Amino acid sequence: MDGVAMTGEQFRELIGQYTKIWDPINSEYKVEFMDQRRFDDVKKRLKLIARATPEDKYLLVSGIKQKGGLVGMTGDSISDAEALKRADVGLAMGSGCDVAKDNSDLVILDNRFESIHRSIKWGRAIFDNVRKFLQFQLTINIVICFVTIFGGLTLGRTPFNVIQM
């Protein structure tokens, strides 16, 4: 492997033989590689797959997920739906088919890859803000409950009325 970008055909060549086994507990196919080390070596260096088939996408997503990694995957056709569903974050393009959009977590309406970066940035900002807000609310609510209960036990009446709380 000369670089970090390769075609789907080169990817299948480098990972070697694999089998797909149905897992009835999780209701999905599990991919088992004949030589797991070959897949791990490819996975470490791989950054981009060009001309990837839906099977290539599913193999890559499944292999990374089985090792406990996080995967974001883009797709726009019916055949990409399986890999989109399996990925942690499935991104469908706005011009793609409805099946891909239904199986993805996020739909990029303007079909530009820079929008993926922008959506990830905004998603992280929203997540951080929600987390900070919940932390603030939980802290305040716990303090108010403690003061109300402690005040009610010691004073005989609650220090706050319903409107103040």
Side-chain angles (χ1 to χ4, degrees):
M1 179 164 57
D2 295 327
V4 294
M6 65 180 68
T7 64
E9 188 175 315
Q10 292 170 331
F11 172 72
R12 283 189 308 277
E13 222 173 80
L14 289 172
I15 63 170
Q17 296 292 322
Y18 62 91
T19 56
K20 288 172 79 174
I21 300 169
W22 178 253
D23 183 9
I25 296 169
N26 297 326
S27 298
E28 63 184 18
Y29 282 101
K30 183 179 177 187
V31 177
E32 286 189 6
F33 298 98
M34 299 301 172
D35 188 359
Q36 185 67 41
R37 283 184 291 149
R38 286 178 71 176
F39 177 80
D40 292 340
D41 291 341
V42 172
K43 179 187 74 156
K44 284 179 190 173
R45 298 186 58 197
L46 181 66
K47 298 294 180 199
L48 176 76
I49 297 182
R51 298 187 201 116
T53 64
E55 182 75 12
D56 298 335
K57 292 177 183 180
Y58 187 77
L59 287 173
L60 183 61
V61 169
S62 296
I64 292 172
K65 294 260 309 181
Q66 287 174 11
K67 286 293 198 176
L70 296 173
V71 182
M73 211 276 301
T74 61
D76 61 356
S77 68
I78 292 174
S79 52
D80 292 335
E82 194 175 346
L84 284 169
K85 189 185 298 185
R86 181 103 166 99
D88 292 310
V89 178
L91 301 159
M93 296 299 173
S95 64
C97 71
D98 288 335
V99 174
K101 290 178 189 177
D102 291 341
N103 286 297
S104 66
D105 299 310
L106 188 64
V107 178
I108 306 298
L109 296 176
D110 62 0
N111 292 334
R112 293 186 314 195
F113 282 105
E114 84 179 45
S115 296
I116 295 171
H117 179 265
R118 194 173 334 123
S119 64
I120 291 171
K121 207 164 60 172
W122 275 98
R124 285 182 179 173
I126 290 169
F127 177 79
D128 288 341
N129 288 336
V130 167
R131 184 175 53 192
K132 289 174 186 175
F133 174 75
L134 289 175
Q135 182 180 10
F136 171 76
Q137 284 296 317
L138 287 172
T139 304
I140 294 301
N141 288 337
I142 289 170
V143 169
I144 287 176
C145 288
F146 178 74
V147 168
T148 303
I149 291 170
F150 187 72
L153 293 174
T154 58
L155 299 175
R157 62 178 181 82
T158 59
F160 299 115
N161 63 25
V162 175
I163 294 173
Q164 290 173 328
M165 281 199 250

